[in-house]
Amino acid sequence: MLNNKKILVGITGGIAAYKTIELIRHFKKANAEVRVVLTPAAEAFVTPLTLQAISANAVSNSLLDPQAELAMGHIELAKWADLVVIAPASADFIARLRAGMANDLLSTLCLATASPILLAPAMNQQMFKQIATQENLAVLANRGVQMIGPNSGFQACGDVGAGRMSEASEIFQAVCEHFGYSQDLQDLTVTITAGPTREAIDPVRYISNHSSGKMGFAIANAFAQRGAKVNLIAGPVNLVTPDKVNRIDVKSAREMAQQAVEFAQKSSIFIGCAAVADYRMAEVASQKIKKTDGSDELILKLVKNPDIIASVANLSQNRPFTVGFAAETQDVAHYAKDKLKRKNLDLICANDVSGGQVFGQDQNSLQLFWQNSEKILPLADKTKLAETLAEEIITHYRSKNKENK
Ligand code: PMT
């Protein structure tokens, strides 16, 4: 989500510094590059070694360190950052920042940087209430310094009031929003199926297809990035689970059906992107099937699998907004429209899979069909395409909800 964004995390002296370790973990999981700068007081609360391990970069703590100035000196560090996040920001640091002081590495960096600064203040409630602190914060806000928190509640010193540093997840969200990633789908639960299913023939063989799961995983990621709770029911694939996604691994269509119907009923939106095997063995052989010398043929008897998306779309209670996919090699629009009607879907996303152009590839294009309209999403990386598709789904989901009210 924060792919290659360069975030300089400044930590000042305060008990809340322990929460910053969690914050850095969030940044790293979202693929940001993180460098940490500690004030001398911060070192009483967290160690450079821990922060070096979590951020995967050397930690800076001294303005006049000849070794550090040889490598990434303080001016370089100030230029490097896309965003400076100071968490916790103590009353003392806020006062020094307002005064424009440069008497340690962090305050010098703040003076030397042209990048935006986000402060997460944390201090005793009385210190926070003081006119001096309030004035300092107001002046900084006027200069364009961004703030998050503090929260109210019990404090480490025993007081109750405003002064607790915002939670790591709240600061992470503020940073995502700063970079234009909105967390507007926090009230939504979305369930997505992805990848192939595997239908056993005997203990060593199975029937499956070429789905890699890339399309479905990209959709899961697109929704999770915007704060939705995402359940991803995945067939056997070789992909890393996107951040903040609840992944449920399954193998066969029947296993997928069981999980999908259960999760769908607790979801606002269901998206069937999995390439589900339409048929399975009537009976799975208990031992490896042997080659017989007498015949050149082996006939396998197959029976129909449950149609997962049709079961979801026909739920009599708690039916989610239901989106299907159609993988076609000919007459794409015709077959897709037929599936839209037959399976009782709200939307179908058709892709032309002829000539191996979608399965396992990094790019795709889609033709979307609703009951009364259609739209083309042109060829793009599956990640980008999934973001556009998520936006389309949300728009139609919201307008359907409005109509039903
Ligand atoms: O995984 P990738 O390599 O990235 O490839 C992406 C993809 C090609 C798998 C994906 O874009 C796609 O098209 N997925 C649907 C594939 C498919 O099975 O299409 P279908 O036309 O056979 O099925 C129509 C719809 O019914 C699909 O939503 C499917 O999930 C669903 N279905 C099908 C059979 C079944 N028994 N139960 C179902 O729910």
Side-chain angles (χ1 to χ4, degrees):
M1 200 188 304
L2 297 176
N3 237 349
N4 302 325
K5 292 284 182 269
K6 299 186 180 91
I7 302 175
L8 196 150
V9 177
I11 306 181
T12 73
I15 184 69
Y18 76 93
K19 292 189 195 171
T20 311
I21 296 171
E22 186 61 26
L23 175 63
I24 295 169
R25 210 176 262 141
H26 280 303
F27 289 152
K28 294 297 290 178
K29 273 186 113 179
N31 279 338
E33 266 191 70
V34 178
R35 287 185 174 265
V36 180
V37 175
L38 292 172
T39 63
E43 286 192 53
F45 297 93
V46 280
T47 70
L49 199 61
T50 309
L51 295 157
Q52 178 177 303
I54 301 286
S55 68
N57 267 319
V59 169
S60 311
N61 51 7
S62 167
L63 180 58
L64 303 172
D65 178 348
Q67 209 52 39
E69 288 301 307
L70 267 181
M72 192 173 264
H74 65 276
I75 299 294
E76 284 310 304
L77 209 47
K79 285 184 183 159
W80 170 87
D82 293 323
L83 176 69
V84 178
V85 178
I86 300 174
S90 65
D92 170 72
F93 187 81
I94 288 167
R96 287 193 286 124
L97 188 63
R98 185 235 168 131
M101 292 180 74
N103 56 344
D104 63 13
L105 178 60
L106 188 57
S107 54
T108 306
L109 280 170
C110 288
L111 211 53
T113 192
S115 300
I117 298 174
L118 172 72
L119 292 185
M123 65 200 74
N124 166 272
Q125 51 86 27
Q126 193 56 43
M127 291 167 77
F128 180 67
K129 266 199 269 184
Q130 280 298 348
I131 295 172
T133 306
Q134 289 302 314
E135 274 182 9
N136 289 338
L137 287 169
V139 169
L140 289 170
N142 243 336
R143 287 182 198 155
V145 172
Q146 300 168 42
M147 317 263 169
I148 173 154
N151 292 342
S152 288
F154 282 100
Q155 300 203 284
C157 57
D159 282 7
V160 179
R164 287 169 58 89
M165 186 172 92
S166 298
E167 295 307 318
S169 58
E170 295 170 320
I171 302 173
F172 176 70
Q173 253 180 49
V175 169
C176 290
E177 276 162 28
H178 168 85
F179 285 114
Y181 295 107
S182 143
Q183 297 281 291
D184 58 335
L185 304 184
Q186 287 183 30
D187 297 337
L188 277 191
T189 302
V190 183
T191 294
I192 300 155
T193 65
T197 59
R198 253 183 212 173
E199 308 302 327
I201 296 172
D202 66 15
V204 297
R205 303 180 180 97
Y206 57 79
I207 301 168
S208 191
N209 59 65
H210 296 296
S211 171
S212 62
K214 285 180 186 174
M215 192 68 242
F217 274 55
I219 298 169
N221 188 44
F223 278 98
Q225 270 186 16
R226 290 174 61 177
K229 290 171 207 74
V230 177
N231 305 306
L232 176 61
I233 303 170
V237 293
N238 220 347
L239 295 175
V240 175
T241 312
D243 199 19
K244 296 189 178 161
V245 163
N246 173 34
R247 172 172 173 175
I248 303 104
D249 284 316
V250 295
K251 281 208 175 86
S252 69
R254 283 193 295 177
E255 279 171 36
M256 187 175 273
Q258 195 203 334
Q259 296 290 346
V261 173
E262 195 178 316
F263 277 100
Q265 293 178 73
K266 299 179 224 152
S267 304
S268 323
I269 298 173
F270 178 86
I271 304 167
C273 188
V276 184
D278 286 322
Y279 293 91
R280 66 175 187 279
M281 288 285 284
E283 256 179 66
V284 179
S286 60
Q287 302 298 333
K288 184 179 171 192
I289 298 173
K290 293 287 174 202
K291 202 160 43 179
T292 47
D293 288 339
S295 167
D296 285 342
E297 281 184 348
L298 172 68
I299 295 173
L300 300 176
K301 185 175 173 193
L302 303 178
V303 292
K304 252 194 183 157
N305 265 328
D307 191 317
I308 302 172
I309 204 147
S311 316
V312 170
N314 289 307
L315 281 168
S316 53
Q317 280 187 331
N318 304 324
R319 177 196 185 274
F321 184 87
T322 308
V323 180
F325 270 71
E328 308 295 346
T329 54
Q330 56 176 336
D331 292 340
V332 177
H334 169 75
Y335 286 120
K337 284 180 188 169
D338 174 61
K339 282 176 185 166
L340 175 74
K341 278 211 178 81
R342 200 162 31 85
K343 299 192 184 216
N344 189 29
L345 308 178
D346 295 293
L347 160 67
I348 195 148
C349 316
N351 34 207
D352 182 344
V353 297
S354 60
Q357 51 181 328
V358 181
F359 280 103
Q361 303 299 317
D362 289 332
Q363 294 195 320
N364 194 10
S365 62
L366 292 170
Q367 224 177 324
L368 311 186
F369 296 98
W370 294 267
Q371 298 293 351
N372 304 318
S373 58
E374 54 184 84
K375 186 168 193 170
I376 289 176
L377 304 186
L379 189 70
D381 277 356
K382 284 179 179 169
T383 341
K384 201 80 218 128
L385 184 68
E387 288 171 6
T388 317
L389 177 62
E391 188 54 41
E392 288 292 339
I393 294 173
I394 291 300
T395 307
H396 283 79
Y397 161 76
R398 286 190 177 140
S399 85
K400 186 176 179 185
N401 270 5
K402 234 185 205 168
E403 275 168 28
N404 290 345
K405 269 185 189 163

